[in-house]
Amino acid sequence: MSIAQRIADIHSDVAAACIEAGRKPHEVRVLGACKTKPVELIREALSAGQTLLAENRAQELRDKAPLLAAYDPAPEWHFIGRLQKNKVKYVVPWAQIVHTVDSFALAEEIARRTPGPIGVLIQVNAAHDPAKAGVSPNETLALCKQVEALDNITVRGLMTIPPMTEDPESCAPFFAEVTHLAQMGQAAGLQTDILSMGMSRDYRVAIREGSTLIRVGTAIFGSRD
Ligand SMILES: *Cc1c(COP(=O)(O)O)cnc(C)c1O
């Protein structure tokens, strides 16, 4: 199946999932996670209209983004991987939104290095998994407020990666909790309108639970070696 066909399929499946959940299809956007995939394949995705793209390794973004910068239509890059402070410099020239901010120190480094205004999402460790990145749910809104006070950074919303499980349905409570946190944030005056939740295997559940941005790799670009 061509990339263009897969992209069309995903977008129609997302629309169906929205309608099933009583939501409007335009409320959910699809981010193409193209890690490990060659630039030629990404050009195909861009030509098919998939302009929202994401990398999860800083150096990979640094290396690939310049090769696509002049492409029409141009990509909008997001960064979705774990980010060490010493690699922020590779990411900020390219990423419009960094999904994985889970400490004030990381946000400060992003603010210091970014060449212009940048959006961030606060990553929530909804499952309280000590092995995983993300801030705990009860510290999330305080971190949002702290980060929001920095120059050049706007907190656009929240992101979460639930534990890997057999049954995507078991992730529902984690997605629901992050949606609830975002609603509390909005009530407190935060602009948390992006909810980055859901991947190839669980995006239908995430959409039902309130996701506005799903991160899809395999279902668009095929499996990774
Ligand atoms: C790779 C990646 C995805 C996409 O995963 P698939 O299962 O291939 O859809 C989503 N989120 C993050 C953080 C990723 O690194």
Side-chain angles (χ1 to χ4, degrees):
M1 206 191 295
S2 71
I3 293 263
Q5 188 58 52
R6 285 185 176 167
I7 289 169
D9 287 354
I10 284 282
H11 284 264
S12 62
D13 196 49
V14 165
C18 285
I19 287 163
E20 212 175 288
R23 305 181 60 197
K24 300 212 166 63
H26 69 78
E27 290 175 25
V28 179
R29 292 186 304 155
V30 178
L31 192 53
C34 53
K35 58 184 171 220
T36 78
K37 298 299 175 185
V39 166
E40 303 80 69
L41 214 59
I42 303 173
R43 285 201 187 97
E44 258 183 71
L46 283 168
S47 296
Q50 182 61 49
T51 53
L52 270 183
L53 294 171
E55 284 291 349
N56 78 328
R57 292 218 174 82
Q59 284 97 328
E60 201 173 339
L61 179 61
R62 175 202 62 189
D63 294 343
K64 281 152 93 175
L67 304 174
L68 295 159
Y71 201 76
D72 183 20
E76 174 183 329
W77 286 108
H78 290 208
F79 187 76
I80 59 175
R82 212 165 192 166
L83 186 54
Q84 290 168 297
K85 277 193 283 176
N86 62 348
K87 295 189 177 155
V88 165
K89 59 179 181 285
Y90 301 142
V91 168
V92 291
W94 302 106
Q96 299 201 10
I97 300 187
V98 176
H99 288 222
T100 46
V101 171
D102 63 358
S103 74
F104 186 62
L106 177 58
E108 275 185 312
E109 184 63 10
I110 292 172
R112 195 162 25 236
R113 297 276 184 173
T114 185
I118 192 166
V120 297
L121 307 181
I122 303 299
Q123 183 174 355
V124 185
N125 187 350
H128 302 270
D129 180 346
K132 288 281 168 59
V135 66
S136 76
N138 60 1
E139 290 164 4
T140 299
L141 296 183
L143 181 59
C144 287
K145 279 202 187 124
Q146 235 189 337
V147 173
E148 187 61 36
L150 292 168
D151 285 339
N152 277 331
I153 284 196
T154 305
V155 177
R156 298 288 308 277
L158 307 178
M159 177 270 212
T160 198
I161 306 174
M164 268 294 187
T165 52
E166 286 290 306
D167 178 16
E169 198 58 48
S170 65
C171 300
F174 303 122
F175 294 141
E177 176 167 25
V178 174
T179 298
H180 178 66
L181 275 175
Q183 287 164 346
M184 293 204 310
Q186 280 166 355
L190 291 167
Q191 203 196 324
T192 46
D193 58 319
I194 298 180
L195 283 174
S196 167
M197 314 193 294
M199 320 198 338
S200 294
R201 55 195 305 277
D202 58 9
Y203 68 79
R204 282 187 147 261
V205 177
I207 288 170
R208 195 188 68 215
E209 300 300 336
S211 173
T212 68
L213 185 58
I214 61 173
R215 308 177 306 266
V216 179
T218 321
I220 291 177
F221 294 101
S223 60
R224 296 176 290 269
D225 312 322

